[in-house]
Amino acid sequence: MSFENKTALVTGASAGIGYGIAKALVDAGARVIITGRHAERLDKAVAELGPNASGIVADATKLADLRRLFDTLKADHGHLDVLIANAGGGEPVPLVDVTEQHVDDTLTWNLKSTIFSVQFALPIMPSGGAIVLIGSNASKAPPIGMSVYAAAKAGVRALVTGWVQEIKGSGVRINVVSPGPVRTPGLEGFFAAEEAEATFDFLAGQSTVGRIGTTDDIAAATLFLAGNTAGYINGIELFVDGGAARL
Ligand SMILES: NC(=O)c1ccc[n+]([C@@H]2O[C@H](COP(=O)([O-])OP(=O)(O)OC[C@H]3O[C@@H](n4cnc5c(N)ncnc54)[C@H](OP(=O)(O)O)[C@@H]3O)[C@@H](O)[C@H]2O)c1
């Protein structure tokens, strides 16, 4: 699938799933802007992605950063064809230990960031534009301790269901890709080094295809939904999790 002459923004893309999507978009011919909170990580990723990539340091949870990001995008590129709202994450906290801070942080990281990324992007997206939000299969099959995160990601699905009605006629489509476990720095950070291999084997066993996901799996689904061949697909949540969420 070609993204020649398309301008794409991937939030949270100096590592992990976002980086994988950004790389696939660059390989497909897009001009890709990536964001992250830490300049040195972002600069390294931009250098690896090559001349069709550029980086803007921006925290997707902070409105001032998002305003600066989209003002810069408009000034530099005029418009945006593809938005991948990927920045997000969570940490395991069982209900008994959930704090006000955990709730605020998790909802801010996954919902506030997504809401305002889309709100700021839409005015510079022409007809034919596509938005893909990165959810999680936790929204259907929450791992123990991930209920607040799962609720936030279920909220991402709810947002899209409403938004496709609100922007009907704009020519911009919005869909959700919901990954199962993918071995990224974010997921690895959950487990002690000595537990990691056993944990990833356990997670692979929960999938019906016998393995966990890769960033390439998630990028392939994301580019499909962002591309023109998916022009009749709007408002869906596509689970890319080896069938795990249906068990
Ligand atoms: N990995 C999985 O198994 C999995 C499964 C289902 C869903 N997901 C979802 O997939 C997305 C990516 O997860 P991941 O595992 O790839 O994460 P990751 O390995 O932790 O990488 C996150 C990337 O996003 C950046 N980032 C984090 N918070 C940000 C923010 N507020 N603003 C801008 N950039 C930010 C990080 O760079 P800086 O730290 O420099 O900002 C990094 O480049 C998340 O929405 C996550 O919930 C992941």
Side-chain angles (χ1 to χ4, degrees):
M1 186 177 314
S2 173
F3 282 81
E4 291 286 339
N5 299 318
K6 301 278 189 194
T7 301
L9 168 67
V10 188
T11 66
S14 57
I17 288 170
Y19 178 84
I21 295 168
K23 182 167 188 332
L25 283 165
V26 166
D27 290 347
R31 289 177 298 274
V32 180
I33 300 95
I34 65 172
T35 69
R37 295 165 299 184
H38 300 92
E40 67 289 357
R41 289 185 208 159
L42 198 62
D43 290 347
K44 184 168 175 289
V46 166
E48 285 166 9
L49 289 169
N52 279 341
S54 56
I56 298 175
V57 175
D59 184 335
T61 69
K62 296 195 160 59
L63 255 64
D65 282 23
L66 288 175
R67 269 198 199 95
R68 178 175 44 79
L69 167 64
F70 285 96
D71 284 351
T72 307
L73 275 176
K74 189 174 178 189
D76 290 353
H77 301 279
H79 73 283
L80 184 67
D81 298 296
V82 173
L83 166 67
I84 313 296
N86 166 75
E91 56 173 356
V93 179
L95 176 57
V96 67
D97 296 324
V98 165
T99 61
E100 184 178 17
Q101 191 67 52
H102 172 68
V103 173
D104 288 350
D105 289 349
T106 307
L107 299 186
T108 297
W109 205 6
N110 294 286
L111 284 174
K112 180 181 172 186
S113 64
T114 301
I115 292 166
F116 289 106
S117 294
V118 173
Q119 189 193 67
F120 286 137
L122 279 170
I124 60 167
M125 295 191 75
S127 179
I131 298 173
V132 179
L133 312 179
I134 303 302
S136 169
N137 81 338
S139 72
K140 278 254 169 132
I144 298 292
M146 296 297 284
S147 300
V148 178
Y149 170 75
K153 291 299 196 182
V156 170
R157 174 169 64 237
L159 289 171
V160 165
T161 308
W163 286 342
V164 292
Q165 303 302 324
E166 286 190 38
I167 68 164
K168 186 174 171 180
S170 69
V172 176
R173 294 177 301 107
I174 315 181
N175 291 291
V176 183
V177 164
S178 282
V182 177
R183 196 162 183 164
T184 61
L187 188 59
E188 291 225 348
F190 285 179
F191 314 123
E194 62 277 14
E195 291 169 6
E197 296 315 318
T199 306
F200 282 109
D201 285 349
F202 168 77
L203 292 172
Q206 291 192 313
S207 137
T208 59
V209 300
R211 65 175 178 83
I212 62 167
T214 65
T215 56
D216 287 347
D217 293 323
I218 310 309
T222 303
L223 265 64
F224 166 65
L225 286 176
N228 291 337
T229 55
Y232 196 50
I233 302 177
N234 201 15
I236 71 155
E237 180 173 27
L238 177 57
F239 288 89
V240 186
D241 67 346
R246 308 288 170 187
L247 292 177

